[in-house]
PDB file of all heavy atoms in Angstrom:
ATOM      1  N   ILE O1395       9.122  24.856   5.585  1.00 98.00           N
ATOM      2  CA  ILE O1395       9.566  26.261   5.593  1.00 98.00           C
ATOM      3  C   ILE O1395      10.966  26.332   6.201  1.00 98.00           C
ATOM      4  O   ILE O1395      11.244  25.673   7.212  1.00 98.00           O
ATOM      5  CB  ILE O1395       8.585  27.122   6.430  1.00 98.00           C
ATOM      6  CG1 ILE O1395       7.181  27.054   5.823  1.00 98.00           C
ATOM      7  CG2 ILE O1395       9.067  28.568   6.529  1.00 98.00           C
ATOM      8  CD1 ILE O1395       6.095  27.657   6.691  1.00 98.00           C
ATOM      9  N   ALA O1396      11.820  27.125   5.577  1.00 98.00           N
ATOM     10  CA  ALA O1396      13.161  27.366   6.140  1.00 98.00           C
ATOM     11  C   ALA O1396      13.331  28.857   6.387  1.00 98.00           C
ATOM     12  O   ALA O1396      12.724  29.686   5.704  1.00 98.00           O
ATOM     13  CB  ALA O1396      14.236  26.890   5.177  1.00 98.00           C
ATOM     14  N   VAL O1397      14.162  29.172   7.360  1.00 98.00           N
ATOM     15  CA  VAL O1397      14.478  30.573   7.645  1.00 98.00           C
ATOM     16  C   VAL O1397      15.948  30.825   7.298  1.00 98.00           C
ATOM     17  O   VAL O1397      16.828  30.065   7.701  1.00 98.00           O
ATOM     18  CB  VAL O1397      14.208  30.904   9.132  1.00 98.00           C
ATOM     19  CG1 VAL O1397      14.857  32.223   9.524  1.00 98.00           C
ATOM     20  CG2 VAL O1397      12.699  30.960   9.400  1.00 98.00           C
ATOM     21  N   CYS O1398      16.184  31.867   6.510  1.00 98.00           N
ATOM     22  CA  CYS O1398      17.556  32.337   6.215  1.00 98.00           C
ATOM     23  C   CYS O1398      17.757  33.607   7.038  1.00 98.00           C
ATOM     24  O   CYS O1398      17.271  34.678   6.647  1.00 98.00           O
ATOM     25  CB  CYS O1398      17.683  32.711   4.742  1.00 98.00           C
ATOM     26  SG  CYS O1398      18.244  31.416   3.695  1.00 98.00           S
ATOM     27  N   PRO O1399      18.434  33.531   8.165  1.00 98.00           N
ATOM     28  CA  PRO O1399      18.571  34.723   9.015  1.00 98.00           C
ATOM     29  C   PRO O1399      19.874  35.485   8.761  1.00 98.00           C
ATOM     30  O   PRO O1399      20.852  34.919   8.284  1.00 98.00           O
ATOM     31  CB  PRO O1399      18.596  34.109  10.418  1.00 98.00           C
ATOM     32  CG  PRO O1399      19.297  32.806  10.228  1.00 98.00           C
ATOM     33  CD  PRO O1399      19.040  32.346   8.804  1.00 98.00           C
ATOM     34  N   VAL O1412      22.601  31.968  -2.130  1.00 98.00           N
ATOM     35  CA  VAL O1412      22.225  30.959  -1.125  1.00 98.00           C
ATOM     36  C   VAL O1412      20.701  30.909  -0.965  1.00 98.00           C
ATOM     37  O   VAL O1412      20.095  29.826  -0.917  1.00 98.00           O
ATOM     38  CB  VAL O1412      22.926  31.241   0.233  1.00 98.00           C
ATOM     39  CG1 VAL O1412      22.324  30.410   1.350  1.00 98.00           C
ATOM     40  CG2 VAL O1412      24.416  30.981   0.114  1.00 98.00           C
ATOM     41  N   ARG O1415      19.117  29.203  -3.932  1.00 98.00           N
ATOM     42  CA  ARG O1415      19.321  27.744  -3.893  1.00 98.00           C
ATOM     43  C   ARG O1415      18.471  27.100  -2.799  1.00 98.00           C
ATOM     44  O   ARG O1415      18.008  25.962  -2.940  1.00 98.00           O
ATOM     45  CB  ARG O1415      20.803  27.431  -3.714  1.00 98.00           C
ATOM     46  CG  ARG O1415      21.590  27.671  -5.020  1.00 98.00           C
ATOM     47  CD  ARG O1415      23.059  27.873  -4.764  1.00 98.00           C
ATOM     48  NE  ARG O1415      23.671  26.768  -4.079  1.00 98.00           N
ATOM     49  CZ  ARG O1415      24.787  26.866  -3.347  1.00 98.00           C
ATOM     50  NH1 ARG O1415      25.410  28.023  -3.212  1.00 98.00           N
ATOM     51  NH2 ARG O1415      25.267  25.820  -2.750  1.00 98.00           N
ATOM     52  N   ALA O1416      18.235  27.819  -1.710  1.00 98.00           N
ATOM     53  CA  ALA O1416      17.389  27.269  -0.627  1.00 98.00           C
ATOM     54  C   ALA O1416      15.949  27.081  -1.098  1.00 98.00           C
ATOM     55  O   ALA O1416      15.255  26.164  -0.646  1.00 98.00           O
ATOM     56  CB  ALA O1416      17.440  28.184   0.593  1.00 98.00           C
ATOM     57  N   LEU O1419      15.092  23.677  -2.252  1.00 98.00           N
ATOM     58  CA  LEU O1419      15.018  22.621  -1.233  1.00 98.00           C
ATOM     59  C   LEU O1419      13.782  22.727  -0.349  1.00 98.00           C
ATOM     60  O   LEU O1419      13.361  21.742   0.255  1.00 98.00           O
ATOM     61  CB  LEU O1419      16.258  22.677  -0.336  1.00 98.00           C
ATOM     62  CG  LEU O1419      17.622  22.579  -1.034  1.00 98.00           C
ATOM     63  CD1 LEU O1419      18.749  22.794  -0.027  1.00 98.00           C
ATOM     64  CD2 LEU O1419      17.774  21.212  -1.690  1.00 98.00           C
ATOM     65  N   PHE O1420      13.224  23.928  -0.226  1.00 98.00           N
ATOM     66  CA  PHE O1420      12.103  24.138   0.702  1.00 98.00           C
ATOM     67  C   PHE O1420      10.918  24.770  -0.041  1.00 98.00           C
ATOM     68  O   PHE O1420      11.108  25.435  -1.059  1.00 98.00           O
ATOM     69  CB  PHE O1420      12.533  25.050   1.863  1.00 98.00           C
ATOM     70  CG  PHE O1420      13.586  24.420   2.733  1.00 98.00           C
ATOM     71  CD1 PHE O1420      14.938  24.621   2.475  1.00 98.00           C
ATOM     72  CD2 PHE O1420      13.232  23.587   3.792  1.00 98.00           C
ATOM     73  CE1 PHE O1420      15.919  24.025   3.249  1.00 98.00           C
ATOM     74  CE2 PHE O1420      14.214  22.987   4.582  1.00 98.00           C
ATOM     75  CZ  PHE O1420      15.560  23.204   4.312  1.00 98.00           C
ATOM     76  N   VAL O1476      11.172  24.434   9.685  1.00 98.00           N
ATOM     77  CA  VAL O1476      11.792  23.161  10.071  1.00 98.00           C
ATOM     78  C   VAL O1476      13.316  23.279  10.114  1.00 98.00           C
ATOM     79  O   VAL O1476      13.989  22.409  10.655  1.00 98.00           O
ATOM     80  CB  VAL O1476      11.399  22.008   9.106  1.00 98.00           C
ATOM     81  CG1 VAL O1476       9.917  21.690   9.220  1.00 98.00           C
ATOM     82  CG2 VAL O1476      11.779  22.321   7.664  1.00 98.00           C
ATOM     83  N   ALA O1477      13.854  24.331   9.537  1.00 98.00           N
ATOM     84  CA  ALA O1477      15.316  24.471   9.512  1.00 98.00           C
ATOM     85  C   ALA O1477      15.729  25.916   9.277  1.00 98.00           C
ATOM     86  O   ALA O1477      14.964  26.724   8.745  1.00 98.00           O
ATOM     87  CB  ALA O1477      15.913  23.596   8.406  1.00 98.00           C
ATOM     88  N   VAL O1478      16.981  26.174   9.688  1.00 98.00           N
ATOM     89  CA  VAL O1478      17.655  27.429   9.346  1.00 98.00           C
ATOM     90  C   VAL O1478      18.581  27.088   8.186  1.00 98.00           C
ATOM     91  O   VAL O1478      19.162  26.000   8.155  1.00 98.00           O
ATOM     92  CB  VAL O1478      18.488  27.911  10.558  1.00 98.00           C
ATOM     93  CG1 VAL O1478      19.482  28.979  10.163  1.00 98.00           C
ATOM     94  CG2 VAL O1478      17.576  28.407  11.663  1.00 98.00           C
ATOM     95  N   VAL O1479      18.708  27.988   7.215  1.00 98.00           N
ATOM     96  CA  VAL O1479      19.665  27.759   6.120  1.00 98.00           C
ATOM     97  C   VAL O1479      20.738  28.842   6.164  1.00 98.00           C
ATOM     98  O   VAL O1479      20.423  30.028   6.299  1.00 98.00           O
ATOM     99  CB  VAL O1479      18.967  27.786   4.738  1.00 98.00           C
ATOM    100  CG1 VAL O1479      19.994  27.734   3.618  1.00 98.00           C
ATOM    101  CG2 VAL O1479      18.001  26.618   4.612  1.00 98.00           C
ATOM    102  N   LYS O1480      21.985  28.409   6.079  1.00 98.00           N
ATOM    103  CA  LYS O1480      23.112  29.341   6.060  1.00 98.00           C
ATOM    104  C   LYS O1480      24.083  28.930   4.964  1.00 98.00           C
ATOM    105  O   LYS O1480      24.256  27.737   4.709  1.00 98.00           O
ATOM    106  CB  LYS O1480      23.861  29.285   7.402  1.00 98.00           C
ATOM    107  CG  LYS O1480      23.119  29.898   8.576  1.00 98.00           C
ATOM    108  CD  LYS O1480      23.212  31.399   8.518  1.00 98.00           C
ATOM    109  CE  LYS O1480      22.754  32.070   9.783  1.00 98.00           C
ATOM    110  NZ  LYS O1480      23.796  32.796  10.465  1.00 98.00           N
ATOM    111  N   GLY O1481      24.747  29.905   4.384  1.00 98.00           N
ATOM    112  CA  GLY O1481      25.803  29.613   3.418  1.00 98.00           C
ATOM    113  C   GLY O1481      27.136  29.560   4.155  1.00 98.00           C
ATOM    114  O   GLY O1481      27.350  30.299   5.103  1.00 98.00           O
ATOM    115  N   LEU O1482      28.015  28.679   3.710  1.00 98.00           N
ATOM    116  CA  LEU O1482      29.352  28.578   4.315  1.00 98.00           C
ATOM    117  C   LEU O1482      30.397  28.861   3.244  1.00 98.00           C
ATOM    118  O   LEU O1482      30.486  28.141   2.256  1.00 98.00           O
ATOM    119  CB  LEU O1482      29.602  27.162   4.834  1.00 98.00           C
ATOM    120  CG  LEU O1482      29.042  26.744   6.177  1.00 98.00           C
ATOM    121  CD1 LEU O1482      29.635  25.404   6.565  1.00 98.00           C
ATOM    122  CD2 LEU O1482      29.305  27.773   7.263  1.00 98.00           C
ATOM    123  N   GLU O1491      29.593  29.880  12.517  1.00 98.00           N
ATOM    124  CA  GLU O1491      28.233  29.358  12.391  1.00 98.00           C
ATOM    125  C   GLU O1491      27.960  28.112  13.246  1.00 98.00           C
ATOM    126  O   GLU O1491      26.834  27.914  13.710  1.00 98.00           O
ATOM    127  CB  GLU O1491      27.927  28.997  10.921  1.00 98.00           C
ATOM    128  CG  GLU O1491      27.955  30.166   9.951  1.00 98.00           C
ATOM    129  CD  GLU O1491      26.814  31.163  10.179  1.00 98.00           C
ATOM    130  OE1 GLU O1491      25.875  30.860  10.933  1.00 98.00           O
ATOM    131  OE2 GLU O1491      26.887  32.260   9.601  1.00 98.00           O
ATOM    132  N   ALA O1495      24.606  27.037  15.312  1.00 98.00           N
ATOM    133  CA  ALA O1495      23.783  25.913  14.856  1.00 98.00           C
ATOM    134  C   ALA O1495      23.560  24.925  16.008  1.00 98.00           C
ATOM    135  O   ALA O1495      22.445  24.441  16.237  1.00 98.00           O
ATOM    136  CB  ALA O1495      24.458  25.224  13.677  1.00 98.00           C
ATOM    137  N   LEU O1504      16.061  22.680  16.685  1.00 98.00           N
ATOM    138  CA  LEU O1504      16.007  23.292  15.352  1.00 98.00           C
ATOM    139  C   LEU O1504      17.289  22.950  14.583  1.00 98.00           C
ATOM    140  O   LEU O1504      18.391  23.182  15.074  1.00 98.00           O
ATOM    141  CB  LEU O1504      15.871  24.814  15.475  1.00 98.00           C
ATOM    142  CG  LEU O1504      15.831  25.591  14.164  1.00 98.00           C
ATOM    143  CD1 LEU O1504      14.544  25.300  13.392  1.00 98.00           C
ATOM    144  CD2 LEU O1504      15.939  27.096  14.440  1.00 98.00           C
ATOM    145  N   GLU O1505      17.130  22.396  13.396  1.00 98.00           N
ATOM    146  CA  GLU O1505      18.287  22.006  12.577  1.00 98.00           C
ATOM    147  C   GLU O1505      18.772  23.168  11.719  1.00 98.00           C
ATOM    148  O   GLU O1505      17.978  24.035  11.345  1.00 98.00           O
ATOM    149  CB  GLU O1505      17.922  20.832  11.651  1.00 98.00           C
ATOM    150  CG  GLU O1505      17.626  19.538  12.364  1.00 98.00           C
ATOM    151  CD  GLU O1505      18.860  18.874  12.993  1.00 98.00           C
ATOM    152  OE1 GLU O1505      19.969  19.446  12.916  1.00 98.00           O
ATOM    153  OE2 GLU O1505      18.708  17.784  13.561  1.00 98.00           O
ATOM    154  N   THR O1506      20.052  23.135  11.386  1.00 98.00           N
ATOM    155  CA  THR O1506      20.626  24.107  10.441  1.00 98.00           C
ATOM    156  C   THR O1506      21.137  23.355   9.231  1.00 98.00           C
ATOM    157  O   THR O1506      21.812  22.334   9.369  1.00 98.00           O
ATOM    158  CB  THR O1506      21.780  24.889  11.095  1.00 98.00           C
ATOM    159  OG1 THR O1506      21.267  25.627  12.208  1.00 98.00           O
ATOM    160  CG2 THR O1506      22.427  25.865  10.117  1.00 98.00           C
ATOM    161  N   VAL O1507      20.785  23.856   8.049  1.00 98.00           N
ATOM    162  CA  VAL O1507      21.290  23.282   6.796  1.00 98.00           C
ATOM    163  C   VAL O1507      22.333  24.248   6.242  1.00 98.00           C
ATOM    164  O   VAL O1507      22.032  25.422   6.026  1.00 98.00           O
ATOM    165  CB  VAL O1507      20.125  23.109   5.783  1.00 98.00           C
ATOM    166  CG1 VAL O1507      20.650  22.678   4.424  1.00 98.00           C
ATOM    167  CG2 VAL O1507      19.097  22.122   6.320  1.00 98.00           C
ATOM    168  N   PHE O1508      23.549  23.760   6.043  1.00 98.00           N
ATOM    169  CA  PHE O1508      24.607  24.602   5.478  1.00 98.00           C
ATOM    170  C   PHE O1508      24.731  24.332   3.982  1.00 98.00           C
ATOM    171  O   PHE O1508      24.854  23.177   3.564  1.00 98.00           O
ATOM    172  CB  PHE O1508      25.959  24.287   6.139  1.00 98.00           C
ATOM    173  CG  PHE O1508      26.057  24.730   7.567  1.00 98.00           C
ATOM    174  CD1 PHE O1508      26.335  23.821   8.579  1.00 98.00           C
ATOM    175  CD2 PHE O1508      25.886  26.073   7.909  1.00 98.00           C
ATOM    176  CE1 PHE O1508      26.437  24.230   9.907  1.00 98.00           C
ATOM    177  CE2 PHE O1508      25.985  26.500   9.232  1.00 98.00           C
ATOM    178  CZ  PHE O1508      26.264  25.577  10.225  1.00 98.00           C
ATOM    179  N   LEU O1509      24.705  25.400   3.203  1.00 98.00           N
ATOM    180  CA  LEU O1509      24.934  25.265   1.763  1.00 98.00           C
ATOM    181  C   LEU O1509      26.331  25.792   1.452  1.00 98.00           C
ATOM    182  O   LEU O1509      26.707  26.870   1.934  1.00 98.00           O
ATOM    183  CB  LEU O1509      23.905  26.073   0.963  1.00 98.00           C
ATOM    184  CG  LEU O1509      22.443  25.653   1.101  1.00 98.00           C
ATOM    185  CD1 LEU O1509      21.568  26.490   0.166  1.00 98.00           C
ATOM    186  CD2 LEU O1509      22.264  24.177   0.782  1.00 98.00           C
ATOM    187  N   PRO O1510      27.106  25.044   0.663  1.00 97.00           N
ATOM    188  CA  PRO O1510      28.443  25.542   0.325  1.00 97.00           C
ATOM    189  C   PRO O1510      28.343  26.829  -0.470  1.00 97.00           C
ATOM    190  O   PRO O1510      27.559  26.923  -1.417  1.00 97.00           O
ATOM    191  CB  PRO O1510      29.062  24.422  -0.528  1.00 97.00           C
ATOM    192  CG  PRO O1510      27.937  23.545  -0.944  1.00 97.00           C
ATOM    193  CD  PRO O1510      26.800  23.749   0.021  1.00 97.00           C
TER     194      PRO O1510
END
Side-chain angles (χ1 to χ4, degrees):
I1395 300 170
V1397 165
C1398 268
V1412 167
R1415 285 159 58 204
L1419 304 174
F1420 295 91
V1476 293
V1478 165
V1479 172
K1480 289 283 192 116
L1482 279 190
E1491 297 292 348
L1504 179 68
E1505 293 289 2
T1506 298
V1507 173
F1508 290 122
L1509 297 184

